[in-house]
Amino acid sequence: MKLRAVILAATVSAFAVPAFAAPVATVNGTPIDNSEVQAIMSMSPALAKEPNAHEQVVQNLVNMEVLSQYATSHNLAQSPDVKERLAMAKRQILADAAVDQYVQEHPVPESDIQAAYNKFVQAMGKKEYEVRHILVKTKAEADKIMAELKAGKKFSTLAEKDSIDKASAAHGGELGWIVPGMVVPPFAQAVETAPIDKPVGPVQTQFGYHVIEVQATRALTPPPLSAMKDRIKAQLSQQEAAKFVSNLRSQAKINITK
């Protein structure tokens, strides 16, 4: 009686998830399970939103199975090139599995997420600035532009003519609203100390020499933790995974032939 109950329970369980486990197609008797379709859909959220996405994935899996069966029947798996590619694919899959397992077993603590968010908010500061700039290669060029501005020439005209930052030059040097914590320190410092509507410079960064003008400021309200939590968690998980790989490398005997 007990054995019959176990068998019955297993049978009921098998029929409880037909939509997920049942084959969506067969190719020469080989089933393609709906679980494969769902796995692909879950890995491609953009694809999952497309019309007829399910049918598209099924058709692609059918094509893969048809081609795979052809390759097997023609002994293509014995080709040195195919063997090498299969070995590389296996290595990649196992590497991904190792990282996935490590991340699952070492979830990011909520306290770390909160600390990272606090650091982000602190870096943002309390203001954002509407800025335009002219970027040139040399200090002499920047000095010349400052002199021309003082002589009454328009900032936008000089930006369009002289700036090597072509993206902003096309808009008269406009960078839009920026947060000092998100740009290189010399640029940020100049922005935070510049008077409104008065060009300052030259300001040297690794990109060249800038002439900067702050056009307006406004109070900055950082996004709530709830809006950033997933991104912060993903970044911290990537950092932990990198440490995991680094630790494994430190314990391995690695000999790279030059």
Side-chain angles (χ1 to χ4, degrees):
M1 182 66 182
K2 186 176 180 180
L3 179 60
R4 183 175 180 276
V6 171
I7 294 173
L8 179 60
T11 304
V12 171
S13 176
F15 282 97
V17 286
F20 188 79
V24 292
T26 59
V27 179
N28 296 323
T30 299
I32 297 174
D33 288 340
N34 190 46
S35 59
E36 298 178 66
V37 178
Q38 297 303 321
I40 292 173
M41 300 273 273
S42 66
M43 290 187 293
S44 306
L47 171 64
K49 295 178 182 178
E50 293 182 9
N52 303 319
H54 186 276
E55 175 64 20
Q56 181 181 341
V57 173
V58 170
Q59 293 298 335
N60 286 340
L61 287 172
V62 167
N63 290 345
M64 288 173 62
E65 182 59 32
V66 168
L67 291 168
S68 177
Q69 290 182 16
Y70 175 90
T72 300
S73 67
H74 288 74
N75 295 318
L76 297 184
Q78 305 308 312
S79 151
D81 177 61
V82 173
K83 284 184 177 180
E84 182 178 356
R85 288 158 62 187
L86 287 171
M88 290 176 64
K90 179 180 178 181
R91 185 183 297 143
Q92 182 65 63
I93 292 168
L94 289 173
D96 290 344
V99 170
D100 289 345
Q101 182 188 52
Y102 181 84
V103 169
Q104 289 174 7
E105 293 179 351
H106 298 81
V108 177
E110 291 293 323
S111 58
D112 287 1
I113 296 175
Q114 183 67 57
Y117 173 74
N118 293 343
K119 185 177 180 180
F120 169 80
V121 170
Q122 184 178 8
M124 286 186 68
K126 296 181 179 180
K127 282 184 179 181
E128 58 182 339
Y129 301 77
E130 188 177 24
V131 178
R132 57 182 179 176
H133 82 143
I134 301 170
L135 176 63
V136 291
K137 293 181 179 180
T138 67
K139 183 177 181 299
E141 291 175 288
D143 286 333
K144 181 174 179 291
I145 288 170
M146 285 293 292
E148 290 176 321
L149 290 170
K150 289 178 181 178
K153 289 195 174 181
K154 288 186 177 181
F155 195 103
S156 58
T157 301
L158 293 175
E160 291 171 1
K161 180 171 69 75
D162 298 324
S163 183
I164 60 175
D165 177 6
K166 297 306 179 184
S168 66
H171 302 282
E174 300 284 349
L175 294 173
W177 290 92
I178 69 168
V179 177
M182 304 299 136
V183 296
V184 293
F187 196 99
Q189 184 178 2
V191 166
E192 290 177 312
T193 57
I196 301 297
D197 291 331
K198 185 175 180 179
V200 296
V203 177
Q204 184 180 11
T205 70
Q206 64 263 45
F207 305 107
Y209 291 84
H210 306 257
V211 173
I212 300 168
E213 184 178 273
V214 175
Q215 298 171 286
T217 67
R218 65 187 181 191
L220 175 63
T221 302
L225 174 59
S226 59
M228 299 194 62
K229 188 173 183 179
D230 289 345
R231 185 168 67 179
I232 292 174
K233 184 177 180 180
Q235 290 174 342
L236 293 178
S237 293
Q238 289 174 359
Q239 292 173 12
E240 286 303 309
K243 291 178 183 177
F244 171 57
V245 175
S246 179
N247 184 53
L248 290 177
R249 286 179 63 96
S250 69
Q251 298 176 42
K253 294 181 179 179
I254 300 173
N255 181 23
I256 298 177
T257 304
K258 294 183 179 180

